[in-house]
Amino acid sequence: QVQLVESGGGLVQPGGSLRLSCAASGFTFSWYVMSWYRQAPGKERELVARISDTGGSTNYADSVKGRFTISRDNAKNTVYLQMNSLKPEDTAMYYCNGRRATMMVYEYWGQGTQVTVSS
């Protein structure tokens, strides 16, 4: 069955770094645009970063540009989010998303990994 399993979250001090990973299985990973979303308590889920199926194109929320980097390894069916210079406002549950739109839309979500930035 389809699975997206996030890992790498945790507690980090402001200014620190974390690297999130999302391991995919059960679908053809290289066909899918992969994204990271986040949701803080009381707020709507927001797009953090997106990477094309080949990895040749990326885009980021303005709030994370220059601090976060999304990447993927299609041989390992894994997408990453390197997060540097973390701020307390980055605290949220981070979710991995895979999406493919052809004649139909196929979309999958992971269960999330918690990132807490606090001193």
Side-chain angles (χ1 to χ4, degrees):
Q1 75 275 25
V2 171
Q3 280 193 305
L4 291 173
V5 180
E6 301 99 332
S7 61
L11 174 64
V12 63
Q13 291 187 341
S17 298
L18 283 174
R19 188 194 196 204
L20 305 184
S21 299
C22 172
S25 60
F27 63 99
T28 307
F29 180 76
S30 62
W31 291 357
Y32 281 69
V33 173
M34 298 301 298
S35 303
W36 288 96
Y37 285 77
R38 67 185 181 188
Q39 187 168 21
K43 294 189 176 181
E44 292 188 355
R45 190 173 295 191
E46 63 172 353
L47 175 66
V48 175
R50 176 169 289 150
I51 187 166
S52 64
D53 51 0
T54 63
S57 175
T58 58
N59 46 45
Y60 298 90
D62 287 344
S63 58
V64 307
K65 279 181 183 176
R67 299 189 298 122
F68 290 11
T69 302
I70 189 170
S71 61
R72 67 189 294 161
D73 185 338
N74 284 350
K76 295 183 178 179
N77 289 354
T78 302
V79 61
Y80 306 97
L81 186 68
Q82 178 66 44
M83 305 186 294
N84 299 330
S85 302
L86 282 161
K87 305 175 181 179
E89 51 263 44
D90 294 318
T91 296
M93 186 72 78
Y94 283 70
Y95 297 91
C96 179
N97 170 276
R99 191 173 192 272
R100 181 176 184 235
T102 54
M103 293 184 68
M104 293 180 62
V105 175
Y106 302 87
E107 187 166 29
Y108 308 119
W109 290 91
Q111 82 290 347
T113 186
Q114 178 67 39
V115 172
T116 302
V117 185
S118 175
S119 55

mmCIF file with all atom_site columns, all heavy atoms in Angstrom, residues 85-101:
data_model
loop_
_atom_site.group_PDB
_atom_site.id
_atom_site.type_symbol
_atom_site.label_atom_id
_atom_site.label_alt_id
_atom_site.label_comp_id
_atom_site.label_asym_id
_atom_site.label_entity_id
_atom_site.label_seq_id
_atom_site.pdbx_PDB_ins_code
_atom_site.Cartn_x
_atom_site.Cartn_y
_atom_site.Cartn_z
_atom_site.occupancy
_atom_site.B_iso_or_equiv
_atom_site.pdbx_formal_charge
_atom_site.auth_seq_id
_atom_site.auth_comp_id
_atom_site.auth_asym_id
_atom_site.auth_atom_id
_atom_site.pdbx_PDB_model_num
ATOM 1   N N   . SER A 1 85  ? 18.912 27.739 10.335  1.00 0.00 ? 85  SER A N   1
ATOM 2   C CA  . SER A 1 85  ? 18.539 29.012 10.973  1.00 0.00 ? 85  SER A CA  1
ATOM 3   C C   . SER A 1 85  ? 17.092 28.983 11.456  1.00 0.00 ? 85  SER A C   1
ATOM 4   O O   . SER A 1 85  ? 16.302 29.901 11.201  1.00 0.00 ? 85  SER A O   1
ATOM 5   C CB  . SER A 1 85  ? 18.744 30.167 9.991   1.00 0.00 ? 85  SER A CB  1
ATOM 6   O OG  . SER A 1 85  ? 20.080 30.223 9.547   1.00 0.00 ? 85  SER A OG  1
ATOM 7   N N   . LEU A 1 86  ? 16.755 27.934 12.148  1.00 0.00 ? 86  LEU A N   1
ATOM 8   C CA  . LEU A 1 86  ? 15.365 27.739 12.575  1.00 0.00 ? 86  LEU A CA  1
ATOM 9   C C   . LEU A 1 86  ? 14.937 28.808 13.567  1.00 0.00 ? 86  LEU A C   1
ATOM 10  O O   . LEU A 1 86  ? 15.729 29.271 14.400  1.00 0.00 ? 86  LEU A O   1
ATOM 11  C CB  . LEU A 1 86  ? 15.201 26.340 13.173  1.00 0.00 ? 86  LEU A CB  1
ATOM 12  C CG  . LEU A 1 86  ? 15.107 25.233 12.119  1.00 0.00 ? 86  LEU A CG  1
ATOM 13  C CD1 . LEU A 1 86  ? 15.419 23.867 12.719  1.00 0.00 ? 86  LEU A CD1 1
ATOM 14  C CD2 . LEU A 1 86  ? 13.726 25.225 11.484  1.00 0.00 ? 86  LEU A CD2 1
ATOM 15  N N   . LYS A 1 87  ? 13.666 29.165 13.455  1.00 0.00 ? 87  LYS A N   1
ATOM 16  C CA  . LYS A 1 87  ? 13.056 30.189 14.299  1.00 0.00 ? 87  LYS A CA  1
ATOM 17  C C   . LYS A 1 87  ? 11.893 29.581 15.074  1.00 0.00 ? 87  LYS A C   1
ATOM 18  O O   . LYS A 1 87  ? 11.297 28.596 14.622  1.00 0.00 ? 87  LYS A O   1
ATOM 19  C CB  . LYS A 1 87  ? 12.531 31.331 13.428  1.00 0.00 ? 87  LYS A CB  1
ATOM 20  C CG  . LYS A 1 87  ? 13.563 31.956 12.513  1.00 0.00 ? 87  LYS A CG  1
ATOM 21  C CD  . LYS A 1 87  ? 12.919 32.998 11.606  1.00 0.00 ? 87  LYS A CD  1
ATOM 22  C CE  . LYS A 1 87  ? 13.933 33.623 10.661  1.00 0.00 ? 87  LYS A CE  1
ATOM 23  N NZ  . LYS A 1 87  ? 13.318 34.629 9.755   1.00 0.00 ? 87  LYS A NZ  1
ATOM 24  N N   . PRO A 1 88  ? 11.525 30.180 16.184  1.00 0.00 ? 88  PRO A N   1
ATOM 25  C CA  . PRO A 1 88  ? 10.360 29.656 16.931  1.00 0.00 ? 88  PRO A CA  1
ATOM 26  C C   . PRO A 1 88  ? 9.100  29.565 16.072  1.00 0.00 ? 88  PRO A C   1
ATOM 27  O O   . PRO A 1 88  ? 8.296  28.648 16.255  1.00 0.00 ? 88  PRO A O   1
ATOM 28  C CB  . PRO A 1 88  ? 10.205 30.671 18.066  1.00 0.00 ? 88  PRO A CB  1
ATOM 29  C CG  . PRO A 1 88  ? 11.589 31.178 18.301  1.00 0.00 ? 88  PRO A CG  1
ATOM 30  C CD  . PRO A 1 88  ? 12.217 31.245 16.932  1.00 0.00 ? 88  PRO A CD  1
ATOM 31  N N   . GLU A 1 89  ? 8.953  30.467 15.120  1.00 0.00 ? 89  GLU A N   1
ATOM 32  C CA  . GLU A 1 89  ? 7.764  30.437 14.261  1.00 0.00 ? 89  GLU A CA  1
ATOM 33  C C   . GLU A 1 89  ? 7.769  29.287 13.259  1.00 0.00 ? 89  GLU A C   1
ATOM 34  O O   . GLU A 1 89  ? 6.789  29.084 12.546  1.00 0.00 ? 89  GLU A O   1
ATOM 35  C CB  . GLU A 1 89  ? 7.575  31.778 13.539  1.00 0.00 ? 89  GLU A CB  1
ATOM 36  C CG  . GLU A 1 89  ? 8.807  32.279 12.819  1.00 0.00 ? 89  GLU A CG  1
ATOM 37  C CD  . GLU A 1 89  ? 9.593  33.296 13.653  1.00 0.00 ? 89  GLU A CD  1
ATOM 38  O OE1 . GLU A 1 89  ? 9.778  33.069 14.872  1.00 0.00 ? 89  GLU A OE1 1
ATOM 39  O OE2 . GLU A 1 89  ? 10.038 34.306 13.055  1.00 0.00 ? 89  GLU A OE2 1
ATOM 40  N N   . ASP A 1 90  ? 8.868  28.550 13.188  1.00 0.00 ? 90  ASP A N   1
ATOM 41  C CA  . ASP A 1 90  ? 8.910  27.342 12.357  1.00 0.00 ? 90  ASP A CA  1
ATOM 42  C C   . ASP A 1 90  ? 8.314  26.137 13.084  1.00 0.00 ? 90  ASP A C   1
ATOM 43  O O   . ASP A 1 90  ? 8.156  25.071 12.488  1.00 0.00 ? 90  ASP A O   1
ATOM 44  C CB  . ASP A 1 90  ? 10.349 27.015 11.959  1.00 0.00 ? 90  ASP A CB  1
ATOM 45  C CG  . ASP A 1 90  ? 10.964 28.065 11.055  1.00 0.00 ? 90  ASP A CG  1
ATOM 46  O OD1 . ASP A 1 90  ? 10.271 28.535 10.137  1.00 0.00 ? 90  ASP A OD1 1
ATOM 47  O OD2 . ASP A 1 90  ? 12.147 28.406 11.271  1.00 0.00 ? 90  ASP A OD2 1
ATOM 48  N N   . THR A 1 91  ? 7.985  26.305 14.345  1.00 0.00 ? 91  THR A N   1
ATOM 49  C CA  . THR A 1 91  ? 7.392  25.220 15.117  1.00 0.00 ? 91  THR A CA  1
ATOM 50  C C   . THR A 1 91  ? 6.062  24.797 14.512  1.00 0.00 ? 91  THR A C   1
ATOM 51  O O   . THR A 1 91  ? 5.164  25.626 14.311  1.00 0.00 ? 91  THR A O   1
ATOM 52  C CB  . THR A 1 91  ? 7.183  25.654 16.580  1.00 0.00 ? 91  THR A CB  1
ATOM 53  O OG1 . THR A 1 91  ? 8.456  25.904 17.178  1.00 0.00 ? 91  THR A OG1 1
ATOM 54  C CG2 . THR A 1 91  ? 6.447  24.592 17.372  1.00 0.00 ? 91  THR A CG2 1
ATOM 55  N N   . ALA A 1 92  ? 5.948  23.509 14.185  1.00 0.00 ? 92  ALA A N   1
ATOM 56  C CA  . ALA A 1 92  ? 4.741  22.997 13.535  1.00 0.00 ? 92  ALA A CA  1
ATOM 57  C C   . ALA A 1 92  ? 4.890  21.495 13.341  1.00 0.00 ? 92  ALA A C   1
ATOM 58  O O   . ALA A 1 92  ? 5.976  20.935 13.512  1.00 0.00 ? 92  ALA A O   1
ATOM 59  C CB  . ALA A 1 92  ? 4.533  23.670 12.177  1.00 0.00 ? 92  ALA A CB  1
ATOM 60  N N   . MET A 1 93  ? 3.786  20.880 12.937  1.00 0.00 ? 93  MET A N   1
ATOM 61  C CA  . MET A 1 93  ? 3.834  19.518 12.417  1.00 0.00 ? 93  MET A CA  1
ATOM 62  C C   . MET A 1 93  ? 4.141  19.626 10.930  1.00 0.00 ? 93  MET A C   1
ATOM 63  O O   . MET A 1 93  ? 3.466  20.397 10.223  1.00 0.00 ? 93  MET A O   1
ATOM 64  C CB  . MET A 1 93  ? 2.505  18.811 12.651  1.00 0.00 ? 93  MET A CB  1
ATOM 65  C CG  . MET A 1 93  ? 2.514  17.343 12.269  1.00 0.00 ? 93  MET A CG  1
ATOM 66  S SD  . MET A 1 93  ? 3.472  16.346 13.406  1.00 0.00 ? 93  MET A SD  1
ATOM 67  C CE  . MET A 1 93  ? 2.297  16.217 14.758  1.00 0.00 ? 93  MET A CE  1
ATOM 68  N N   . TYR A 1 94  ? 5.133  18.895 10.494  1.00 0.00 ? 94  TYR A N   1
ATOM 69  C CA  . TYR A 1 94  ? 5.541  18.926 9.088   1.00 0.00 ? 94  TYR A CA  1
ATOM 70  C C   . TYR A 1 94  ? 5.073  17.654 8.384   1.00 0.00 ? 94  TYR A C   1
ATOM 71  O O   . TYR A 1 94  ? 5.316  16.541 8.870   1.00 0.00 ? 94  TYR A O   1
ATOM 72  C CB  . TYR A 1 94  ? 7.063  19.064 8.980   1.00 0.00 ? 94  TYR A CB  1
ATOM 73  C CG  . TYR A 1 94  ? 7.525  20.471 9.254   1.00 0.00 ? 94  TYR A CG  1
ATOM 74  C CD1 . TYR A 1 94  ? 7.461  21.013 10.534  1.00 0.00 ? 94  TYR A CD1 1
ATOM 75  C CD2 . TYR A 1 94  ? 8.007  21.284 8.229   1.00 0.00 ? 94  TYR A CD2 1
ATOM 76  C CE1 . TYR A 1 94  ? 7.867  22.311 10.790  1.00 0.00 ? 94  TYR A CE1 1
ATOM 77  C CE2 . TYR A 1 94  ? 8.418  22.584 8.467   1.00 0.00 ? 94  TYR A CE2 1
ATOM 78  C CZ  . TYR A 1 94  ? 8.336  23.091 9.748   1.00 0.00 ? 94  TYR A CZ  1
ATOM 79  O OH  . TYR A 1 94  ? 8.735  24.390 9.991   1.00 0.00 ? 94  TYR A OH  1
ATOM 80  N N   . TYR A 1 95  ? 4.433  17.854 7.231   1.00 0.00 ? 95  TYR A N   1
ATOM 81  C CA  . TYR A 1 95  ? 3.846  16.755 6.484   1.00 0.00 ? 95  TYR A CA  1
ATOM 82  C C   . TYR A 1 95  ? 4.472  16.645 5.096   1.00 0.00 ? 95  TYR A C   1
ATOM 83  O O   . TYR A 1 95  ? 4.673  17.655 4.407   1.00 0.00 ? 95  TYR A O   1
ATOM 84  C CB  . TYR A 1 95  ? 2.347  16.959 6.310   1.00 0.00 ? 95  TYR A CB  1
ATOM 85  C CG  . TYR A 1 95  ? 1.564  16.973 7.591   1.00 0.00 ? 95  TYR A CG  1
ATOM 86  C CD1 . TYR A 1 95  ? 1.323  18.160 8.262   1.00 0.00 ? 95  TYR A CD1 1
ATOM 87  C CD2 . TYR A 1 95  ? 1.058  15.790 8.125   1.00 0.00 ? 95  TYR A CD2 1
ATOM 88  C CE1 . TYR A 1 95  ? 0.596  18.178 9.445   1.00 0.00 ? 95  TYR A CE1 1
ATOM 89  C CE2 . TYR A 1 95  ? 0.333  15.798 9.306   1.00 0.00 ? 95  TYR A CE2 1
ATOM 90  C CZ  . TYR A 1 95  ? 0.112  16.999 9.959   1.00 0.00 ? 95  TYR A CZ  1
ATOM 91  O OH  . TYR A 1 95  ? -0.607 17.018 11.127  1.00 0.00 ? 95  TYR A OH  1
ATOM 92  N N   . CYS A 1 96  ? 4.693  15.427 4.682   1.00 0.00 ? 96  CYS A N   1
ATOM 93  C CA  . CYS A 1 96  ? 5.158  15.125 3.343   1.00 0.00 ? 96  CYS A CA  1
ATOM 94  C C   . CYS A 1 96  ? 3.945  14.878 2.441   1.00 0.00 ? 96  CYS A C   1
ATOM 95  O O   . CYS A 1 96  ? 2.963  14.252 2.872   1.00 0.00 ? 96  CYS A O   1
ATOM 96  C CB  . CYS A 1 96  ? 6.037  13.879 3.422   1.00 0.00 ? 96  CYS A CB  1
ATOM 97  S SG  . CYS A 1 96  ? 6.710  13.298 1.882   1.00 0.00 ? 96  CYS A SG  1
ATOM 98  N N   . ASN A 1 97  ? 4.025  15.357 1.225   1.00 0.00 ? 97  ASN A N   1
ATOM 99  C CA  . ASN A 1 97  ? 2.919  15.213 0.266   1.00 0.00 ? 97  ASN A CA  1
ATOM 100 C C   . ASN A 1 97  ? 3.459  14.812 -1.090  1.00 0.00 ? 97  ASN A C   1
ATOM 101 O O   . ASN A 1 97  ? 4.472  15.354 -1.548  1.00 0.00 ? 97  ASN A O   1
ATOM 102 C CB  . ASN A 1 97  ? 2.169  16.539 0.166   1.00 0.00 ? 97  ASN A CB  1
ATOM 103 C CG  . ASN A 1 97  ? 1.161  16.591 -0.961  1.00 0.00 ? 97  ASN A CG  1
ATOM 104 O OD1 . ASN A 1 97  ? 1.521  16.881 -2.102  1.00 0.00 ? 97  ASN A OD1 1
ATOM 105 N ND2 . ASN A 1 97  ? -0.078 16.323 -0.658  1.00 0.00 ? 97  ASN A ND2 1
ATOM 106 N N   . GLY A 1 98  ? 2.780  13.883 -1.715  1.00 0.00 ? 98  GLY A N   1
ATOM 107 C CA  . GLY A 1 98  ? 3.093  13.500 -3.080  1.00 0.00 ? 98  GLY A CA  1
ATOM 108 C C   . GLY A 1 98  ? 1.872  13.698 -3.951  1.00 0.00 ? 98  GLY A C   1
ATOM 109 O O   . GLY A 1 98  ? 0.761  13.328 -3.568  1.00 0.00 ? 98  GLY A O   1
ATOM 110 N N   . ARG A 1 99  ? 2.075  14.299 -5.121  1.00 0.00 ? 99  ARG A N   1
ATOM 111 C CA  . ARG A 1 99  ? 0.925  14.611 -5.978  1.00 0.00 ? 99  ARG A CA  1
ATOM 112 C C   . ARG A 1 99  ? 1.280  14.404 -7.439  1.00 0.00 ? 99  ARG A C   1
ATOM 113 O O   . ARG A 1 99  ? 2.366  14.803 -7.886  1.00 0.00 ? 99  ARG A O   1
ATOM 114 C CB  . ARG A 1 99  ? 0.477  16.053 -5.744  1.00 0.00 ? 99  ARG A CB  1
ATOM 115 C CG  . ARG A 1 99  ? -0.868 16.418 -6.375  1.00 0.00 ? 99  ARG A CG  1
ATOM 116 C CD  . ARG A 1 99  ? -1.292 17.815 -5.947  1.00 0.00 ? 99  ARG A CD  1
ATOM 117 N NE  . ARG A 1 99  ? -2.668 18.106 -6.290  1.00 0.00 ? 99  ARG A NE  1
ATOM 118 C CZ  . ARG A 1 99  ? -3.052 18.618 -7.450  1.00 0.00 ? 99  ARG A CZ  1
ATOM 119 N NH1 . ARG A 1 99  ? -2.151 18.846 -8.402  1.00 0.00 ? 99  ARG A NH1 1
ATOM 120 N NH2 . ARG A 1 99  ? -4.330 18.862 -7.677  1.00 0.00 ? 99  ARG A NH2 1
ATOM 121 N N   . ARG A 1 100 ? 0.336  13.815 -8.150  1.00 0.00 ? 100 ARG A N   1
ATOM 122 C CA  . ARG A 1 100 ? 0.490  13.644 -9.600  1.00 0.00 ? 100 ARG A CA  1
ATOM 123 C C   . ARG A 1 100 ? -0.850 13.941 -10.246 1.00 0.00 ? 100 ARG A C   1
ATOM 124 O O   . ARG A 1 100 ? -1.863 13.362 -9.865  1.00 0.00 ? 100 ARG A O   1
ATOM 125 C CB  . ARG A 1 100 ? 0.928  12.226 -9.935  1.00 0.00 ? 100 ARG A CB  1
ATOM 126 C CG  . ARG A 1 100 ? 1.133  12.005 -11.433 1.00 0.00 ? 100 ARG A CG  1
ATOM 127 C CD  . ARG A 1 100 ? 1.664  10.635 -11.719 1.00 0.00 ? 100 ARG A CD  1
ATOM 128 N NE  . ARG A 1 100 ? 1.946  10.461 -13.151 1.00 0.00 ? 100 ARG A NE  1
ATOM 129 C CZ  . ARG A 1 100 ? 1.449  9.495  -13.896 1.00 0.00 ? 100 ARG A CZ  1
ATOM 130 N NH1 . ARG A 1 100 ? 0.645  8.604  -13.360 1.00 0.00 ? 100 ARG A NH1 1
ATOM 131 N NH2 . ARG A 1 100 ? 1.773  9.408  -15.176 1.00 0.00 ? 100 ARG A NH2 1
ATOM 132 N N   . ALA A 1 101 ? -0.837 14.878 -11.172 1.00 0.00 ? 101 ALA A N   1
ATOM 133 C CA  . ALA A 1 101 ? -2.070 15.258 -11.851 1.00 0.00 ? 101 ALA A CA  1
ATOM 134 C C   . ALA A 1 101 ? -1.943 14.922 -13.323 1.00 0.00 ? 101 ALA A C   1
ATOM 135 O O   . ALA A 1 101 ? -1.140 15.518 -14.031 1.00 0.00 ? 101 ALA A O   1
ATOM 136 C CB  . ALA A 1 101 ? -2.336 16.741 -11.661 1.00 0.00 ? 101 ALA A CB  1
#
